[in-house]
Amino acid sequence: MTPTRLRLTQYAHGGGCACKIPPGELEAMVSGLTGRPHPDLVVGLDDGDDAAAVRVGADGSVVISTADFFTPVVDDAYDWGRIAAANALSDIYAMGGEPVLAINLLGWPRGVLPTELATEVLRGGLAVCEAAGIPLAGGHSIDNPEPTYGLAVTGMGHADRLLRNDAARAGRPISLTKPLGVGVLNNRHKATGDVFPHAVESMASLNADAARAALAAGIEAATDVTGFGLLGHLYKMARASGVTAVVDAAAVPYLADARESLAAGFVPGGSRRNLDWVRPHLEASVDEDELVLLADAQTSGGLMLAGEVPGAPVIGEFVPRGDAVVVVRG
């Protein structure tokens, strides 16, 4: 097969952030690693934040560090590179930081897929880093059974102006800066080859402007919506903050074709695992299909904010902790 006819999504068991280790399993894995203090560590593992932050200056400056990588979410190598890079950079923006440097993380099945495709993946990552205004300098590669790509990213911020999981307060609105639905659309793409350019552009777009708007608005709590779905990430934020998140399901935006893809059965296994994880802490008055969409495993999703920014719909509010950690109303 020539590189133009190869379907990258067929060379991996999963795709994008839907191939994450399920949230319950992941929390069990790292349970013994949390709660380990260090005098300079500002944000670590304890509340499942998007990146780690360590104080490096007496003025409150922090270095923010993250790494994110995954198997192909689309068949086009260049677009996969763009999406993976935007997704990794998003962790820095979700913490209220500015990225300053990225390096490549590449796993490639040599002898199975042409190296020309790997070059296209790297070229896509470079394009997004250039759009973010940072260097993409070097990295690490291995011969791997499945194609895998992402970035390790270093950013800068200030200890008093970080966006955190544990800072949502009752009375604050919940806003979402990108529509949901890329999980079911990517699953349909993998199964059928149908292409959804609007989903690709949503995933490849940076969360830089949303993060800067959040800081300008004085917002203190945020996360990006990725592999654990909106419900999973909202549960983590509400749990860490000691509040209940109430979602107005009718206000949540979705990409075109997402509902039709759900109805046709193109649901990632990760989406159902997300819902199963949140369900014991969930009160809902909507049907199962709506809950699956709200738990849909996103790749390079938008920011979910405890506050309002221009252009981002308000999809609910945080209220004092009740019997459920997350409430979904129709």
Side-chain angles (χ1 to χ4, degrees), residues 207-236:
N207 283 323
D209 289 345
R212 292 163 191 156
L215 290 175
I219 291 172
E220 298 177 323
T223 189
D224 59 348
V225 181
T226 55
F228 300 151
L230 184 139
L231 288 184
H233 288 285
L234 193 56
Y235 166 61
K236 289 172 64 178

Side-chain angles (χ1 to χ4, degrees), residues 64-136:
I64 305 170
S65 182
T66 188
D68 209 314
F69 52 89
F70 47 65
T71 53
V73 67
V74 293
D75 290 325
D76 185 276
Y78 179 77
D79 282 342
W80 173 36
R82 293 168 62 216
I83 292 164
N87 181 74
L89 289 166
S90 182
D91 286 343
I92 302 296
Y93 295 128
M95 294 292 295
E98 288 286 343
V100 295
L101 173 68
I103 57 175
N104 290 299
L105 302 171
L106 177 70
W108 200 255
R110 295 174 56 253
V112 177
L113 290 174
T115 56
E116 292 88 347
L117 283 181
T119 300
E120 282 299 291
V121 175
L122 296 170
R123 198 168 65 85
L126 177 61
V128 166
C129 287
E130 288 179 340
I134 66 167
L136 177 56

Side-chain angles (χ1 to χ4, degrees), residues 250-304:
V252 177
Y254 290 94
L255 290 166
D257 304 307
R259 289 189 179 277
E260 293 81 357
S261 298
L262 173 74
F266 297 107
V267 181
S271 300
R272 297 197 186 279
R273 290 191 294 270
N274 291 339
L275 181 54
D276 289 343
W277 180 57
V278 175
R279 201 186 298 272
H281 316 281
L282 175 68
E283 175 189 314
S285 59
V286 297
D287 62 23
E288 187 74 3
D289 281 355
E290 199 71 26
L291 290 177
V292 169
L293 276 177
L294 289 169
D296 189 40
Q298 304 299 282
T299 296
S300 193
L303 299 188
M304 183 167 58

Side-chain angles (χ1 to χ4, degrees), residues 148-276:
T148 307
Y149 178 65
L151 302 177
V153 188
T154 301
M156 296 295 297
H158 193 279
D160 295 333
R161 284 172 55 80
L162 291 177
L163 303 174
R164 303 174 56 134
N165 260 0
D166 63 357
R169 304 288 176 252
R172 301 292 290 169
I174 303 169
S175 300
L176 183 65
T177 67
K178 286 186 187 180
L180 302 181
V182 296
V184 291
L185 293 177
N186 290 341
N187 194 257
R188 179 173 165 185
H189 173 66
K190 179 177 173 67
T192 68
D194 293 343
V195 178
F196 301 97
H198 59 298
V200 170
E201 291 313 308
S202 178
M203 290 184 284
S205 64
L206 293 169
N207 283 323
D209 289 345
R212 292 163 191 156
L215 290 175
I219 291 172
E220 298 177 323
T223 189
D224 59 348
V225 181
T226 55
F228 300 151
L230 184 139
L231 288 184
H233 288 285
L234 193 56
Y235 166 61
K236 289 172 64 178
M237 181 181 286
R239 181 183 63 180
S241 300
V243 296
T244 287
V246 179
V247 177
D248 176 7
V252 177
Y254 290 94
L255 290 166
D257 304 307
R259 289 189 179 277
E260 293 81 357
S261 298
L262 173 74
F266 297 107
V267 181
S271 300
R272 297 197 186 279
R273 290 191 294 270
N274 291 339
L275 181 54
D276 289 343

